[in-house]
Amino acid sequence: MASISGQGTPKLTSAVGNLYYDSILPYREDANMQTREFLARVVDVLLDFVQKVNDRNEKILEFKMPEEMQKLLDLELHDEPLPLKQLLEDCKATLKYQVKTGHPHFFNQLSCGLDVISLAGEWLTAAANTNMFTYEIAPVFILMENIVLEKMRNMIGWKTGDSILAPGGSVSNLYAFLAARHHKFPQYKEKGLTSIPGHLVMFTSDQCHYSVKSCASVCGLGTDYCVCVPSDERGRMIPAQLERLVRYHKDKGHVPFFVNATSGTTVLGAFDPLSEIADICEKYDMWMHVDAAWGGGLLFSKKYRHPRLTGIERADSVTWNPHKLMGTLLQCSTVHFKYEGILLSCNAMSAEYLFMTDKIYDPRFDTGDKVIQCGRHNDIFKLWLQWRGKGTSGFERLMDRLMELSEYMVRRIKEQPDKFYLILEPELVNVSFWYLPKQLRGIPHDANKEIRLGKVCAKLKGRMMQSGTLMVGYQPDDRRPNFFRNIISSAAVTEKDVDFLLSEMDRLGQDIVVE
């Protein structure tokens, strides 16, 4: 296959390759041509990597143990500068050993794939290199952010509200916690714990993301007061158990104030019953947050939105990560609120050196005082450009396609019961299953066999990494030992890739023996 860059191996001419950092822009005003050549060769390296990522004949990774990798790579920082030709070689070496997370046979994480339009947006973002705290230094990006976030709130089902992009779903959930506490107890911002009549208690499913429990630790509740509500066999919060625990803590004199419902759990991809949870939150005057970091993309889909996300419009806040199901490049996480102005009210510190009120434009366009970070990376352009390219209808088709591919995988697993055991019918693109090597075929399925199947997972994953041909994640949960959790969230995946996944697991694992 011909190289996208048009070069066999991108190289600099000797005239430029032997130059140093201070011989190109911005150090020399007359170095436009030298700068252009250096950056063009770096782009060639990137383009060749994009090509390899999408080449099914390429390995996903060249796995090396950490000790061996340290010997292979020159990562030392020197006292004296290195020439541009060495920096170009450093770029090549870095990508040579990087896992190709956009490869069609990478099923390992929730964030898979390499959306080329979003990639173009990320390149432009890096070149612009601006902060997102004021309109005066990021005018176009601030306006883009307003447009995109309003569109997302409308899709949730709200006509007004507030939103922000945060550095990951964990921080988005933290913003929701802070806003909930401020909404219920606005005096807490100045007076702290003394302003609250009793100990605050929050509730979440026992299948939730660990960041929810982290909120309790970081914000002073203590993890003992983040109450885990039991889930059913499919991983969905049981509303009756939620109400029982809320009443128990009220009877003890505690202050139940926050419920986190999950729409798309990390492991099983389960959706908590939002409407029933909303009823309980209204009954006991509690803030309802929906962590839809993983499953929020299904809001685009007329076919799959309901019943999974039915009732999300009744929430007070929602976390939604475009860098997961929507395929926007990492990182791109959003958090949305039903109440307009709540972020500023909750987080503003009114730093006069940044957020002056006598600017020549409306200071409401400044976003820095809405967040606890001050500095904030530009995560909007890659999403805005991707949305322009796909259109809302394109995202809907992508969501439907990913779900259909997961349904196809379930069918293929069921067609091979001697080799694969489906753990449950998925609600999202998380397909949970065990692989059966020859040693364990034909044996009745019981708890002892599950323990042995769990041991197979670690061995087979090791073989995947050594071969470099496939990556699928595994983990235990509170009901069973290790099992495989396959994720299809990449637009590159086809039915043939799903077939390859299953046949390659069998090729690599059929002779595995466990005690």
Side-chain angles (χ1 to χ4, degrees):
M1 184 183 295
S3 168
I4 293 178
S5 69
Q7 299 200 3
T9 302
K11 293 182 179 179
L12 292 165
T13 61
S14 58
V16 174
N18 291 322
L19 296 177
Y20 292 82
Y21 75 97
D22 54 2
S23 296
I24 57 175
L25 293 173
Y27 294 91
R28 289 192 55 168
E29 294 183 25
D30 60 349
N32 284 324
M33 294 304 297
Q34 295 91 329
T35 303
R36 182 176 288 272
E37 180 181 334
F38 172 64
L39 290 176
R41 296 295 80 76
V42 172
V43 169
D44 287 340
V45 171
L46 299 176
L47 291 174
D48 287 348
F49 181 72
V50 171
Q51 175 180 302
K52 291 177 181 178
V53 163
N54 287 279
D55 186 348
R56 286 166 173 79
N57 294 319
E58 287 280 339
K59 288 187 175 182
I60 298 174
L61 77 160
E62 295 285 346
F63 180 76
K64 308 291 180 186
M65 290 296 183
E67 299 79 11
E68 185 181 359
M69 186 75 84
Q70 287 175 328
K71 294 176 182 177
L72 279 172
L73 299 174
D74 174 14
L75 302 178
E76 294 302 314
L77 298 176
H78 306 280
D79 290 336
E80 297 302 317
L82 296 174
L84 298 182
K85 62 183 179 183
Q86 180 58 51
L87 304 186
L88 185 66
E89 293 305 312
D90 291 344
C91 292
K92 296 177 189 176
T94 298
L95 291 178
K96 178 180 180 180
Y97 295 108
Q98 168 56 30
V99 177
K100 299 179 183 70
T101 58
H103 195 287
H105 298 156
F106 180 86
F107 303 94
N108 204 72
Q109 312 297 142
L110 303 189
S111 302
C112 304
L114 185 63
D115 187 286
V116 171
I117 294 177
S118 187
L119 174 64
E122 186 75 334
W123 288 354
L124 184 145
T125 297
N129 192 33
T130 193
N131 207 314
M132 290 292 289
F133 46 48
T134 62
Y135 175 86
E136 66 183 274
I137 64 168
V140 180
F141 300 126
I142 292 288
L143 295 180
M144 284 177 180
E145 200 169 70
N146 290 344
I147 292 292
V148 172
L149 295 177
E150 181 181 11
K151 179 78 169 179
M152 296 176 81
R153 288 196 303 271
N154 290 341
M155 292 178 66
I156 292 169
W158 302 334
K159 294 181 179 179
T160 61
D162 207 351
S163 306
I164 201 71
L165 280 104
S170 297
V171 177
S172 290
N173 288 338
L174 175 62
Y175 276 123
F177 177 96
L178 293 173
R181 186 175 64 186
H182 178 74
H183 184 73
K184 296 290 184 182
F185 308 100
Q187 68 275 25
Y188 185 94
K189 184 175 180 179
E190 289 80 24
K191 305 298 182 183
L193 290 171
T194 59
S195 64
I196 297 178
H199 205 298
L200 296 181
V201 183
M202 60 188 292
F203 302 84
T204 188
S205 157
D206 59 11
Q207 303 295 311
C208 75
H209 192 266
Y210 70 88
S211 64
V212 179
K213 197 169 186 178
S214 176
C215 289
S217 173
V218 170
C219 297
L221 266 69
T223 55
D224 287 350
Y225 292 89
C226 178
V227 178
C228 290
V229 180
S231 57
D232 63 20
E233 69 281 355
R234 298 182 58 80
R236 300 174 294 196
M237 184 192 292
I238 302 172
Q241 292 290 341
L242 170 63
E243 184 165 19
R244 178 184 66 82
L245 288 165
V246 170
R247 295 179 66 176
Y248 170 79
H249 281 275
K250 283 181 71 70
D251 290 345
K252 291 187 69 173
H254 297 154
V255 184
F257 86 109
F258 182 96
V259 176
N260 173 75
T262 307
S263 290
T265 58
T266 304
V267 177
L268 298 179
F271 287 78
D272 290 340
L274 300 183
S275 294
E276 294 171 71
I277 293 170
D279 289 342
I280 296 169
C281 288
E282 289 179 5
K283 181 177 180 180
Y284 295 97
D285 190 26
M286 297 182 294
W287 180 285
M288 178 180 172
H289 175 64
V290 176
D291 180 0
W294 179 213
L298 291 189
L299 288 168
F300 283 98
S301 174
K302 299 180 186 70
K303 181 177 181 181
Y304 294 100
R305 171 171 178 153
H306 300 290
R308 294 164 180 81
L309 292 158
T310 300
I312 194 171
E313 72 284 352
R314 297 176 64 187
D316 298 291
S317 56
V318 173
T319 291
W320 176 0
N321 285 7
H323 71 229
K324 290 191 167 78
L325 208 56
M326 292 166 63
T328 310
L329 263 61
L330 287 161
Q331 64 186 4
C332 190
S333 175
T334 65
V335 59
H336 308 272
F337 301 90
K338 185 177 287 184
Y339 311 106
E340 189 171 354
I342 192 168
L343 282 167
L344 194 63
S345 175
C346 176
N347 300 315
M349 290 292 135
S350 305
E352 293 182 354
Y353 64 90
L354 270 180
F355 310 119
M356 298 77 76
T357 58
D358 56 355
K359 294 183 177 183
I360 64 171
Y361 61 86
D362 186 343
R364 288 179 298 178
F365 284 95
D366 291 346
T367 62
D369 223 11
K370 294 170 66 172
V371 296
I372 59 176
Q373 305 159 235
C374 185
R376 192 163 61 86
H377 186 262
N378 175 4
D379 291 327
I380 190 59
F381 185 71
K382 58 194 169 192
L383 171 58
W384 177 85
L385 195 68
Q386 181 191 26
W387 205 321
R388 295 268 284 188
K390 273 187 168 60
T392 303
S393 63
F395 275 123
E396 180 176 17
R397 287 191 294 273
L398 175 62
M399 298 304 104
D400 291 351
R401 174 66 173 155
L402 297 176
M403 293 291 285
E404 288 161 3
L405 282 167
S406 300
E407 292 166 356
Y408 174 80
M409 182 175 179
V410 168
R411 291 197 300 273
R412 295 291 290 123
I413 285 175
K414 289 179 177 179
E415 290 168 1
Q416 304 173 72
D418 57 322
K419 298 177 182 178
F420 301 96
Y421 184 95
L422 184 69
I423 291 174
L424 52 75
E425 293 283 343
E427 288 189 275
L428 194 51
V429 297
N430 310 44
V431 180
S432 301
F433 65 99
W434 280 298
Y435 170 73
L436 285 68
K438 289 181 178 179
Q439 179 201 26
L440 299 179
R441 295 174 189 173
I443 299 175
H445 191 90
D446 57 20
N448 181 60
K449 183 177 180 179
E450 288 187 358
I451 292 172
R452 299 173 76 186
L453 289 171
K455 295 177 180 179
V456 170
C457 293
K459 289 192 173 186
L460 181 49
K461 179 59 179 287
R463 292 186 179 186
M464 290 182 200
M465 295 182 69
Q466 293 286 357
S467 70
T469 55
L470 180 69
M471 286 188 73
V472 180
Y474 74 91
Q475 68 289 298
D477 66 10
D478 54 358
R479 288 184 171 87
R480 52 189 72 85
N482 286 335
F483 59 93
F484 285 108
R485 177 205 64 173
N486 191 76
I487 300 296
I488 301 178
S489 63
S490 169
V493 176
T494 67
E495 285 82 358
K496 289 183 179 179
D497 297 312
V498 174
D499 291 339
F500 172 84
L501 182 163
L502 298 175
S503 64
E504 185 68 357
M505 290 185 78
D506 189 42
R507 184 185 75 82
L508 293 171
Q510 59 184 289
D511 64 342
I512 288 176
V513 176
V514 293
E515 295 181 0

